[in-house]
Amino acid sequence: MKQMPARRTDADCTARDEDAPAPALTGTARVVIASTRASDGTYEDRTGPLLVQWLQGRGLDEVTKVLVPDGPEVGEALAAAVADGVDVIISSGGTGISPTDVTPEQTAPLIEREMPGVLEAVRRIGSQKSPAAVLSRGLAGMAGRSFVVNLPGSRGGVKDGIAVLDPILDHLLEQRDGGGHE
């Protein structure tokens, strides 16, 4: 018996085969890696390449990445991306509970409209693999016309974030631009 391909529903309720590519996006993206060790070269950035590859694969016009140490530099990098009019801003790292994990505190002043369900979904997926995933404190929301989301600094957390964002990002950007609800 021939097995049917798995189906996936995009945010606009369009069904597509699991293997079929997601709709191409237009716009720009910036990945902000919040890691003191990665920014000073003592640790290899392992999440930035995953995010950049995924965003480029979605067809965004320009995808850039910056490495910054934990702390106020995260807020500065996020604010610069918002000021530059970047459409999608994804940070990775600094969402835990250690004293230097302040990415949510650096993000909060920029967010005008929160989207708590995005990170709730990431934590839900992650907690199925690791109970510690619920400790991630990331935020998501709109900062002007920029969608900003804080993902964990682990490869697994970033993969969970991509799984949540991939089927909704096109609809999110469409809604931002005044598109109707499907």
Side-chain angles (χ1 to χ4, degrees):
M1 173 177 10
K2 182 178 178 185
Q3 186 170 347
M4 297 297 293
R7 302 290 286 171
R8 178 182 195 132
T9 303
D10 287 327
D12 66 356
C13 298
T14 303
R16 64 180 165 93
D17 290 339
E18 189 74 30
D19 301 8
L25 301 172
T26 58
T28 58
R30 187 164 305 160
V31 174
V32 177
I33 302 302
S35 170
T36 300
R37 293 182 299 159
S39 69
D40 71 12
T42 60
Y43 181 83
E44 178 186 356
D45 167 27
R46 298 185 51 206
T47 59
L50 288 173
L51 289 164
V52 168
Q53 180 181 12
W54 169 64
L55 290 163
Q56 288 174 335
R58 288 301 308 270
L60 288 160
D61 304 323
E62 178 186 344
V63 179
T64 57
K65 179 183 88 165
V66 295
L67 286 149
V68 295
D70 292 303
E73 291 87 349
V74 175
E76 293 165 9
L78 295 172
V82 171
D84 290 345
V86 175
D87 296 295
V88 178
I89 305 165
I90 302 177
S91 69
S92 173
T95 63
I97 58 171
S98 79
T100 59
D101 288 335
V102 296
T103 296
E105 289 78 11
Q106 294 295 316
T107 304
L110 303 171
I111 300 291
E112 297 165 3
R113 292 180 289 158
E114 287 187 49
M115 295 179 192
V118 174
L119 273 299
E120 289 168 7
V122 174
R123 286 186 284 269
R124 185 174 52 250
I125 290 171
S127 68
Q128 294 170 3
K129 301 169 217 156
S130 169
V134 299
L135 298 176
S136 179
R137 304 177 307 110
L139 301 175
M142 298 303 296
R145 293 185 42 80
S146 300
F147 171 62
V148 181
V149 60
N150 306 144
L151 296 180
S154 69
R155 288 176 57 86
V158 164
K159 288 177 182 179
D160 294 341
I162 290 171
V164 169
L165 294 171
D166 194 58
I168 64 168
L169 202 51
D170 57 324
H171 189 63
L172 183 149
L173 294 175
E174 182 180 298
Q175 286 291 295
R176 177 205 62 184
D177 293 338
H181 294 282
E182 298 290 326

